[in-house]
Amino acid sequence: MWKQKTAAVVISAGMAAACLAFPCAAEEQELTVMPISGQVTEELAEPIAVNSLTREEGSLLPVRKIAEHFGYTVGWQEEGNIVTLTKGAQYITFAAGQDAYTFSKTAPQSLGAAPVIEADVTYVPVVFYTDFLGLNCHALENGEYSVVQPSRAEVTEMLEDGRIMVKDEHRGDVIVAVTEQTILTANGQVVSADLLEQGQTLRIEYGAAMTASLPPQGTAIQIEILNLPEEISEEAEAGVAFEGVISELPGEGKVMITPDGQDDPEQAICLMVSEETKITKGNDKRIYFIDDLTVGTKISGTHSQAMTMSIPPQTLALEIHIESQEEAVQEEQGVAFEGIISEVDESGKVLVLPEGAKDATEGICLIVSENTQITKGNDKRIYTLDDLTVGTKISGVHSNVMTRSLPPQTAAMEIKIEE
C-alpha cells in the first residue's frame, strides 16, 4: 500500500448530498439552499471525476487532467520522461518509472510506486494528490475517483449546538455542521470531533449545498486538522479489533459485515476501505484489494475508533485479513492458552499475561462476546465477563485469527476459571 501521511478516505457519493443539519440563524430569515459552486471564487475549482489505473501497489490517477484542472501548469521533457508541475511558488517534478517525487527543493520522496505511462497518459499514485497537492481523493464505483480541492480555514468559534464557526480563505465566515458522517483526520489518522477547538487550522470539504444566509452555513464531508500535535492523534487512533462475515458489498468502497451466524442488521458494521487499508490473506505475500472481498467470506482486522452513530455504524477499516481455508479449519479447533488476568475492560477485552511476563506486549488481549463459553470447575451455572477479575488464573481456547498489534487481539471461544 502507499506510504501516506494524509488519509485518502473512501466516502459514499451519497454523503456529498447530506442534508443540512443545522437551525436557521434567525427565525424570520428564509434560507435558500444553493450549490457551493455559486459562492466559490475562481481560486477554488469544482470537483473532477477521473478514471483510475489499477496496479498491484494500488490505484493511480492521471496527472495532466487533474493538475491542470486545479490550476497547475504541466510541463513535459521527453528526454528522461520528466514531468513538472508549477503553480505560484510550487514546483514539483518526477520521472516515469522512478519512485522519486521532488517538491520544491526538498529531497526526492518515495510514494511506494513509480509513475506509469499508458496510452500517452502519465499516472501517479493517489497519495501524490493528497500529500503533494492537498486534494481529497474519493473512490467511487468502477474504478472512478472524485478529486476535490478542500478549503483552508481557521476555527474562530465553537458554537453551543456543536457546530463550528470558521474563517474560510475563499468564503469568509462560514458556520459548519460536523455530522455523524463527517470524516475527521489529523497526521494521517482518523480522529474524534472532540479534538476540534478554537484556533485550529483546517482543510474542509463541504457538502453539495450551502445556505445563502450571512454567514453561509454548510455541512462538512471531510475535515483535516493541520496543526494537531502528533502525539495526540496517534494516541487517539489505536484501532479496534473486529471479525465477521461479509454480508453485502454495496460499492463505493463499503463492506458490510455481521457477526458470524447473525442476521440482525443492528449488529452489522459498515467498513469503509481506503488506499490506506491493508488487506491480507493467510501467509500470502501478495497485495489484496477490495475486489478480492466476496459476500460470505469471513474477515477480521482492525477499524478506527471513530464510528458514526448511524445504523449500521460506519468506520474506516485499518487492516482486513481474509480467512483462508487452512485458517478456517484451524479456526474451528482454536488455539489453547493459559495465563493470569492483568486487566479487564468494560467493553469486553481481557488482557491475559503468561506467568513471569514483564509487560503487556507478552500477553494476549481476549475479546469476550456473548458467544464465549465461560466455565469454572464442575459448576453448571453460567459465568459472564463480570466473573473475570484481575489476578485470576484462566485457561481456554481463542480464535486462530489475531491482530498484529502488541498485544495481539483475538476472540475468546472458551474460558475456564481456575479454582
Side-chain angles (χ1 to χ4, degrees), residues 170-250:
H170 299 289
R171 300 173 173 85
D173 291 331
V174 179
I175 296 176
V176 183
V178 181
T179 72
E180 297 172 354
Q181 279 72 40
T182 303
I183 303 296
L184 288 99
T185 63
N187 301 320
Q189 305 288 348
V190 176
V191 297
S192 168
D194 295 338
L195 296 178
L196 286 170
E197 59 183 37
Q198 186 173 338
Q200 288 176 333
T201 302
L202 313 175
R203 281 199 190 102
I204 303 179
E205 179 183 337
Y206 300 99
M210 185 171 285
T211 68
S213 58
L214 291 176
Q217 303 179 34
T219 300
I221 296 300
Q222 185 170 337
I223 293 176
E224 180 187 2
I225 305 175
L226 299 179
N227 55 350
L228 187 70
E230 189 170 347
E231 60 272 13
I232 295 179
S233 61
E234 287 181 348
E235 180 180 351
E237 186 60 305
V240 178
F242 73 86
E243 67 174 3
V245 177
I246 299 176
S247 59
E248 185 181 354
L249 293 166

Side-chain angles (χ1 to χ4, degrees), residues 135-155:
L135 303 173
N136 290 346
C137 300
H138 305 313
L140 305 176
E141 295 180 338
N142 303 319
E144 192 175 40
Y145 272 76
S146 174
V147 184
V148 183
Q149 181 183 6
S151 288
R152 191 181 180 94
E154 179 184 347
V155 181

Side-chain angles (χ1 to χ4, degrees), residues 143 168 288 328 380 409:
D168 187 292
Y288 285 81
K380 300 301 181 183
Q409 300 184 38

Side-chain angles (χ1 to χ4, degrees), residues 246 279 281 286-294 297 322:
I246 299 176
I279 305 178
K281 182 177 181 180
R286 87 169 180 88
I287 297 174
Y288 285 81
F289 302 100
I290 190 171
D291 292 340
D292 296 303
L293 304 178
T294 56
T297 300
I322 305 170

Side-chain angles (χ1 to χ4, degrees), residues 36-266:
I36 284 182
S37 59
Q39 300 194 18
V40 177
T41 67
E42 292 182 356
E43 299 177 15
L44 192 65
E46 292 289 327
I48 182 175
V50 296
N51 291 319
S52 66
L53 187 66
T54 302
R55 288 292 183 266
E56 183 178 352
E57 300 90 346
S59 298
L60 300 94
L61 306 181
V63 174
R64 184 177 295 275
K65 184 174 182 179
I66 295 174
E68 290 185 343
H69 179 81
F70 290 105
Y72 289 84
T73 299
V74 180
W76 168 258
Q77 180 179 317
E78 188 170 354
E79 183 178 354
N81 293 332
I82 297 173
V83 178
T84 60
L85 273 62
T86 55
K87 182 180 181 181
Q90 296 184 51
Y91 180 78
I92 304 168
T93 181
F94 52 85
Q98 299 180 30
D99 182 15
Y101 301 81
T102 302
F103 186 89
S104 295
K105 296 182 180 180
T106 60
Q109 298 182 40
S110 169
L111 299 182
V116 173
I117 299 177
E118 185 165 298
D120 294 328
V121 177
T122 304
Y123 294 81
V124 295
V126 171
V127 66
F128 173 84
Y129 301 98
T130 57
D131 281 19
F132 278 48
L133 306 190
L135 303 173
N136 290 346
C137 300
H138 305 313
L140 305 176
E141 295 180 338
N142 303 319
E144 192 175 40
Y145 272 76
S146 174
V147 184
V148 183
Q149 181 183 6
S151 288
R152 191 181 180 94
E154 179 184 347
V155 181
T156 57
E157 186 178 352
M158 304 295 295
L159 304 180
E160 294 182 358
D161 57 7
R163 295 177 296 160
I164 59 175
M165 174 82 80
V166 302
K167 177 73 72 174
D168 187 292
E169 64 179 348
H170 299 289
R171 300 173 173 85
D173 291 331
V174 179
I175 296 176
V176 183
V178 181
T179 72
E180 297 172 354
Q181 279 72 40
T182 303
I183 303 296
L184 288 99
T185 63
N187 301 320
Q189 305 288 348
V190 176
V191 297
S192 168
D194 295 338
L195 296 178
L196 286 170
E197 59 183 37
Q198 186 173 338
Q200 288 176 333
T201 302
L202 313 175
R203 281 199 190 102
I204 303 179
E205 179 183 337
Y206 300 99
M210 185 171 285
T211 68
S213 58
L214 291 176
Q217 303 179 34
T219 300
I221 296 300
Q222 185 170 337
I223 293 176
E224 180 187 2
I225 305 175
L226 299 179
N227 55 350
L228 187 70
E230 189 170 347
E231 60 272 13
I232 295 179
S233 61
E234 287 181 348
E235 180 180 351
E237 186 60 305
V240 178
F242 73 86
E243 67 174 3
V245 177
I246 299 176
S247 59
E248 185 181 354
L249 293 166
E252 300 173 345
K254 294 182 177 181
V255 177
M256 299 287 294
I257 64 168
T258 56
D260 195 3
Q262 297 189 25
D263 296 326
D264 186 356
E266 293 189 1

